[in-house]
Amino acid sequence: MRFAIPGCGGGIHSLRVKLTLANVALLALGIVATTAVSLMGMRYYLLGQVDTELVKLRDSLAGSRLTVRQIDSLSALGFIRDRIASDGGPTRERPAPDSIFAAVDDEGRAIGLFGVRPTEAQTALAHAVPDSGALARAADPGDVRVEDAAYRVTAVALADGSYVLMATSTEALHAGMAKALKLDLAVGTLLLAVLACLTLFSVRLRMVPLEAMVETSSAIAEGDLTRRVPSSHHPTREVEQLRLSLNAMLHQVESAYRTRERSAAQLRRFVADASHELRTPLSAIRGYLQLYERGMLTDPAQRERAWGRVLAETDRMGHLVDELLTLARLDQQPELRFRTVDLSRLVRDAAEDLRVQQPGRPVTVGADGSLLVRADESGLRKVLGNLTGNVRTHTAADVPVRLGLDRADGLVHIRVEDDGPGLAEEDAARVFDRFFRAGGGAGSGLGLAIVQGVVHAHGGEVTVRTAPGEGLAVTVTLPAQASARS
């Protein structure tokens, strides 16, 4: 089974391609905007220079208050030059003149000077300007096309009512702008290609942690719960946070899975042990009932003995069921009834019960005065009862027992120690397992499991210190936030 994270593979819909396209699109918009602004600025600057020259010439001519005849001599050479150029023949291509100087009457017709007819360029300029008067009154020159060439043109009104048109070619300006545009487009295209390659390479490096997450997820899906996402050499903050969060989640998943497996194994063992423990008394009861049913218990003493065994096995089975119910309630984390409890009194009561049950056993109690805590009294009585019952079941009746109680560092310690045979190390590690009985001894094997459950429900812990031939010491540690010693 394999997982796939969208955006980590190939294809047009992958995150890698989308990031690359986004970067390229943003750069393309930037290049287009920059090119447009630069070309507009260049055109404005160059046209401003042309317009400045034309306006200066217009203002100078207007201030002279000349007539067409008066300026005839000034422009004769220009007309002759343009005429000679125009007489080159119809088959010879002529470049557009850089500037055109033409005189027009009040109706807009080109006027010849010194008997020389207007040139084609002058005539075309006159035709291109529909209203010479309006052009003369305008503050700025205007754009016209003369013989398919672009010009900036202005006009000045002369004293005799005629006009002089002055035009300067802007072809070089437009040609330069076209070259600049082509250069910008070429450089921009190259930049876009370089950016696309760099973005693909960079995104590929940044996607390495995500690809590691995909691989880790696939390995975990195949059963390897120990896999974790490794750290990259140059992690980004967001990806590193994602990696740490994912590893934390995987650790929780692994812990939950291990706990479930362990709980399932414990449950199976518990059910098997419970079935075995219940089957023993049930088999004994069934056996005695079958003997009675078949009439094999003819002697009254046999019947009385059989009846006593049935009652004993019934009591044993009832006690076992009660302990199982207690463990089941503890597993469900019941709400304990906390109230002020005098632990010293509970310890002394447990010692007195042990003396009554086994008068020949030496019992030493170290619980003078009173020690008050907030706890569930019935639960603590069960803890002490099970600990003393464990001593009573697994040690000889003359083995000394010591019960102690003290408070230190905000904790309360209850100790039950005996001088019995003790336990081996492997048995001591399993004393709190349900149905565990060292050496297959007497008892149900649930006493210490109940002790541990009650103590954990109080937020405490229970520990065991033992060794072969050195007895058994059980210490119960409880929090004592509300304790008071008197």
Side-chain angles (χ1 to χ4, degrees):
M1 181 178 181
R2 288 282 175 182
F3 291 105
I5 295 180
C8 288
I12 191 64
H13 298 293
S14 67
L15 181 59
R16 184 182 306 164
V17 174
K18 288 183 178 180
L19 289 176
T20 302
L21 292 178
N23 286 348
V24 170
L26 290 176
L27 181 60
L29 290 177
I31 291 175
V32 170
T34 303
T35 302
V37 171
S38 63
L39 291 179
M40 290 175 61
M42 187 190 334
R43 184 177 186 276
Y44 177 81
Y45 175 74
L46 296 178
L47 286 181
Q49 289 184 327
V50 173
D51 291 347
T52 300
E53 295 296 330
L54 288 175
V55 170
K56 286 182 179 180
L57 182 59
R58 181 190 66 183
D59 293 342
S60 298
L61 191 58
S64 65
R65 307 298 297 173
L66 297 175
T67 64
V68 172
R69 297 304 175 187
Q70 292 173 339
I71 65 173
D72 189 11
S73 60
L74 300 176
S75 57
L77 293 177
F79 286 129
I80 293 171
R81 181 195 62 196
D82 292 341
R83 186 68 180 179
I84 294 173
S86 64
D87 291 341
T91 59
R92 181 168 130 189
E93 293 184 0
R94 297 178 292 106
D98 293 336
S99 61
I100 304 175
F101 188 87
V104 297
D105 57 17
D106 55 357
E107 295 182 357
R109 295 188 299 270
I111 302 173
L113 299 176
F114 288 105
V116 180
R117 291 185 305 168
T119 65
E120 293 181 2
Q122 292 171 334
T123 303
L125 177 60
H127 289 163
V129 178
D131 190 350
S132 300
L135 183 61
R137 291 188 296 271
D140 297 323
D143 291 316
V144 294
R145 293 197 67 81
V146 178
E147 296 180 341
D148 292 331
Y151 285 83
R152 293 288 287 178
V153 63
T154 187
V156 58
L158 300 180
D160 57 0
S162 58
Y163 297 92
V164 172
L165 300 180
M166 294 169 287
T168 299
S169 176
T170 57
E171 284 296 308
L173 183 149
H174 292 296
M177 291 181 60
K179 291 181 179 179
L181 177 61
K182 293 179 181 179
L183 180 61
D184 287 345
L185 291 178
V187 174
T189 302
L190 179 61
L191 287 178
L192 290 178
V194 172
L195 177 66
C197 295
L198 293 178
T199 302
L200 283 174
F201 179 74
S202 177
V203 172
R204 182 178 182 84
L205 290 180
R206 295 294 182 265
M207 288 297 175
V208 170
L210 297 182
E211 294 174 355
M213 293 178 190
V214 174
E215 183 180 356
T216 302
S217 301
S218 300
I220 290 176
E222 293 173 357
D224 185 5
L225 298 179
T226 61
R227 287 288 296 272
R228 296 293 182 270
V229 181
S231 177
S232 59
H233 296 291
H234 303 286
T236 58
R237 185 178 63 180
E238 292 78 3
V239 175
E240 184 66 11
Q241 290 176 345
L242 177 60
R243 184 187 72 84
L244 294 176
S245 299
L246 182 59
N247 283 343
M249 182 191 69
L250 294 177
H251 178 72
Q252 294 293 334
V253 170
E254 181 186 6
S255 299
Y257 180 79
R258 302 300 183 196
T259 301
R260 188 186 69 175
E261 290 294 315
R262 185 167 55 253
S263 299
Q266 290 177 347
L267 179 60
R268 289 191 295 268
R269 186 169 61 251
F270 176 79
V271 171
D273 293 340
S275 300
H276 175 74
E277 293 294 332
L278 290 174
R279 184 169 61 246
T280 300
L282 285 175
S283 298
I285 293 172
R286 185 184 299 110
Y288 284 113
L289 291 179
Q290 288 176 352
L291 290 176
Y292 179 79
E293 182 182 11
R294 294 174 183 176
M296 299 179 65
L297 300 176
T298 57
D299 187 5
Q302 291 180 338
R303 288 197 297 271
E304 183 177 356
R305 178 176 176 276
W307 181 246
R309 291 293 302 150
V310 168
L311 292 178
E313 295 296 333
T314 302
D315 292 339
R316 177 185 173 188
M317 186 168 59
H319 179 71
L320 182 61
V321 170
D322 290 339
E323 290 185 333
L324 291 175
L325 290 175
T326 300
L327 287 173
R329 295 191 187 98
L330 292 175
D331 289 339
Q332 295 175 358
Q333 298 180 350
E335 183 178 353
L336 302 179
R337 298 178 180 179
F338 283 89
R339 60 180 180 176
T340 303
V341 178
D342 185 359
L343 284 181
S344 298
R345 180 173 57 85
L346 296 185
V347 171
R348 291 194 295 269
D349 290 346
E352 187 63 28
D353 292 341
L354 182 58
R355 290 191 184 100
V356 171
Q357 294 167 350
Q358 293 182 331
R361 181 185 295 274
V363 179
T364 304
V365 181
D368 298 329
S370 65
L371 196 157
L372 305 179
V373 297
R374 296 283 297 177
D376 182 73
E377 182 176 356
S378 62
L380 294 184
R381 285 189 179 276
K382 185 178 292 294
V383 167
L384 290 169
N386 283 4
L387 291 178
T388 55
N390 187 67
V391 173
R392 190 175 62 250
T393 302
H394 297 287
T395 63
D398 57 350
V399 172
V401 177
R402 294 174 297 279
L403 283 74
L405 176 66
D406 64 73
R407 180 171 67 92
D409 299 329
L411 299 175
V412 175
H413 304 281
I414 304 173
R415 288 181 296 276
V416 178
E417 304 174 354
D418 63 67
D419 296 335
L423 296 174
E425 183 178 355
E426 58 273 13
D427 291 337
R430 297 187 56 194
V431 291
F432 297 111
D433 292 348
R434 298 176 182 183
F435 295 107
F436 174 74
R437 289 175 294 187
S444 63
L446 298 176
L448 290 181
I450 293 176
V451 169
Q452 187 183 53
V454 174
V455 172
H456 285 175
H458 282 78
E461 62 178 358
V462 55
T463 58
V464 170
R465 177 176 53 82
T466 184
E470 297 183 4
L472 177 68
V474 181
T475 302
V476 174
T477 303
L478 298 174
Q481 295 89 346
S483 64
R485 186 83 180 241
S486 61

